[in-house]
Amino acid sequence: MAKQEDQFKKVLSHAKEYGYVFQSSEIYDGLSAVYDYAQNGVELKKNIRDYWWKAMVQMHENIVGIDASILMHPTTWKASGHVDAFNDPLIDNKDSKKRYRADVLVEDYCAKIEGKIEKEVKKAAKRFGDAFNKEEFLATNGRVLGYQEKINTILGRLGKSLENEDLADVKALIEELEIADPLTGSKNWTDVKQFNLMFGTKLGASADTAMDLYLRPETAQGIFVNFLNVQKTGRMKIPFGIAQTGKAFRNEIVARQFIFRMREFEQMEMQFFVKPGTQKEWYDTWKETRLKWHLSLGMGADNYRFHDHEKLAHYADAAADIEFKFPFGFKELEGIHSRTDFDLKAHEEHSGKKLQYFDHAENKNYVPYVVETSIGLDRMFLAVFSTSLQEEELENGTTRTVLKLPAVLAPTKAAILPLVKKDGLPEIARKIVDDLKWDFNVSYDEKDAVGRRYRRQDANGTPFCITVDHDTLNDNTVTIRHRDTMEQKRVAISELRDIIKEEVDVKNWLQKM
Ligand code: ATP
């Protein structure tokens, strides 16, 4: 645990020190759970967004994009169920005055029991060595089965109580399990209350005519209300998808895991409209496709797992999360939801307009079913950044901090370094920058000894360093150093573009899908 916390602290300080993420309005002591992306962060974020957009829109003939507004007619949120049901159950600790999500307190309690299971597994693996069969152990070991049953009973009861809006029972559960305030250990709790997560705002200047609006809590509804516009103007045939990236806002109660849970964040969503009855097939397809997208970035298959939902949201007939191993454990990174015809039907009812598709093959109208893929861009950023940040012991006994970002996502692809600031070397280096900048984000760095510059670029995540030295003056060759292997090669200046392209080209990465 301590190791995880240490790693997380390193992630936070590295993100600030190397210009990736700053606290919002830091000079005023910041705003809780709101962050700004800095000069490198904005590039990494853009590259992740582009990587998603290319995979989803450019690579699919039947998926198109839109960019809907953050402000929408308020009835949208009545129809979608957000006004009535977008609530989190919250509980306050009377002694510490801290506020928590009641369901998260119970889930964290269960995560601790899960930790005990993992410990048993580790112990047994050590005892049995090569003969150890994890599946069999999990299915037969008495202690593990006992733990698992306890988790199932607790989560089962929590799920039921939430579904029945029985908040008194959620409090009773917290008390029975003797869950204490994680910060102070106090068990002096208030009742559990529902809290709507939408931010309200007003449209219009005068107090009596102003209209109450919400900042959108998800981007999906902008797609649903435009479904027919896009289908008709784009002459789209089912099955087809509409994709969108953009800001969403949630007044999160517990928001203290850096950019994992923010109050203002960005989503990348795609709604795929299908014929009723085919949704299960498409749900499976999209689960698989999305996981492949993640795996194409080469961050390790062990870092991902599916979590199939047992308790479904009011609009879904199947749902799963792709969970990622963040520095604080496995947590949701992306959701894949089979949303039925809930949203389109609800908008039909509330707007009085038909939102149906005429299927020529079937010769009839119907409201399509929807399979959604929804990923948080900021969570993806954290997944990429935290996994890439590594400390390596080198052969000479020193350590180096290196940000091994997938090269396709790295903010700067190459740094051009003149060995010394004289003898015409800076001029050649500048010329290389001017040439390469048409194709890639590159930078120029002449300050400090070249070894220190290499370390700085490693920590910045730059895949290549290109050093111009005195031999360059004679033979037009430079040294190209690879961030991950630290291997150095002598190559002609004219070869640089192809070498870099090979490593950072989206095509070469997406083709791994
Ligand atoms: P959680 O259970 O963690 O609150 P959720 O199930 O409410 O998430 P969805 O409504 O399914 O999330 O939103 C889709 C995606 O948007 C999530 O998988 C996540 O990556 C991202 N997301 C949701 N809430 C936040 C937030 N407050 N900050 C950053 N990203 C978020």
Side-chain angles (χ1 to χ4, degrees), residues 489-502:
K489 257 196 201 156
R490 201 72 198 171
V491 302
I493 291 175
S494 57
E495 290 175 272
L496 287 172
R497 178 175 292 100
D498 286 346
I499 295 172
I500 299 170
K501 188 168 182 326
E502 176 68 22

Side-chain angles (χ1 to χ4, degrees), residues 86 101 218 250 252 259-263 265-267 269 321 332-335 337 374-376 378-379:
F86 196 51
R101 257 173 70 176
E218 62 175 26
R250 295 183 188 178
E252 299 278 5
I259 54 172
F260 179 82
R261 190 175 297 288
M262 301 157 90
R263 297 203 162 100
F265 59 100
E266 192 163 336
Q267 291 186 312
E269 296 199 303
D321 298 333
E332 172 177 345
L333 169 60
E334 169 157 9
H337 309 126
S374 174
I375 173 171
D378 313 86
R379 277 194 198 175

Side-chain angles (χ1 to χ4, degrees), residues 207-455:
D208 3 308
T209 56
M211 190 181 199
D212 286 318
L213 296 186
Y214 297 105
L215 301 184
R216 65 180 177 196
E218 62 175 26
T219 54
Q221 298 305 324
I223 294 180
F224 291 127
V225 300
N226 279 302
F227 153 74
L228 211 53
N229 281 340
V230 173
Q231 190 272 317
K232 291 225 157 105
T233 55
R235 285 177 296 152
M236 308 300 291
K237 286 207 173 58
I238 271 181
F240 74 91
I242 305 179
Q244 164 164 236
T245 69
K247 287 277 173 111
F249 302 81
R250 295 183 188 178
N251 198 359
E252 299 278 5
I253 303 163
V254 183
R256 61 171 87 91
Q257 277 162 329
F258 192 38
I259 54 172
F260 179 82
R261 190 175 297 288
M262 301 157 90
R263 297 203 162 100
E264 172 180 342
F265 59 100
E266 192 163 336
Q267 291 186 312
M268 307 192 286
E269 296 199 303
M270 192 276 301
Q271 311 293 326
F272 201 68
F273 299 89
V274 306
K275 195 167 124 185
T278 63
Q279 69 271 22
K280 173 78 178 77
E281 221 172 282
W282 283 110
Y283 169 71
D284 291 339
T285 303
W286 279 111
K287 264 176 81 173
E288 193 187 323
T289 309
R290 291 302 306 144
L291 183 63
K292 280 191 187 153
W293 180 84
H294 286 283
L295 296 179
S296 73
L297 288 168
M299 298 199 298
D302 289 351
N303 283 328
Y304 302 85
R305 70 180 187 196
F306 278 116
H307 168 238
D308 293 310
H309 288 209
E310 276 159 34
K311 178 181 172 275
L312 295 170
H314 57 280
Y315 52 74
D317 70 1
D321 298 333
I322 296 177
E323 293 187 338
F324 186 78
K325 200 169 176 190
F326 287 97
F328 35 82
F330 271 102
K331 297 271 179 209
E332 172 177 345
L333 169 60
E334 169 157 9
I336 292 117
H337 309 126
S338 176
R339 290 181 81 122
T340 68
D341 54 2
F342 174 86
D343 301 88
L344 290 180
K345 275 217 167 120
H347 287 304
E348 276 197 329
E349 272 163 34
H350 284 79
S351 68
K353 311 259 163 50
K354 285 228 168 306
L355 292 174
Q356 301 192 354
Y357 171 78
F358 182 73
D359 191 324
H360 285 276
E362 303 257 325
N363 198 26
K364 66 172 190 198
N365 280 307
Y366 55 76
V367 177
Y369 270 45
V370 173
V371 175
E372 159 186 87
T373 71
S374 174
I375 173 171
L377 175 48
D378 313 86
R379 277 194 198 175
M380 185 64 195
F381 185 111
L382 183 59
V384 171
F385 191 85
S386 58
T387 310
S388 302
L389 184 60
Q390 295 175 20
E391 258 180 28
E392 275 184 0
E393 302 265 339
L394 300 181
E395 274 170 14
N396 64 8
T398 59
T399 55
R400 71 162 179 157
T401 301
V402 52
L403 191 61
K404 290 188 170 175
L405 298 171
V408 65
L409 303 181
T412 305
K413 306 303 188 197
I416 326 298
L417 324 170
L419 187 62
V420 289
K421 275 189 264 178
K422 54 181 187 185
D423 305 333
L425 304 189
E427 287 73 12
I428 300 178
R430 289 267 181 218
K431 207 169 156 290
I432 296 175
V433 168
D434 283 343
D435 187 34
L436 291 179
K437 74 183 180 193
W438 293 94
D439 297 292
F440 318 106
N441 234 349
V442 292
S443 68
Y444 174 85
D445 187 5
E446 61 176 23
K447 194 169 173 290
D448 301 323
V450 78
R452 284 188 66 178
R453 280 180 271 169
Y454 284 159
R455 287 289 179 277

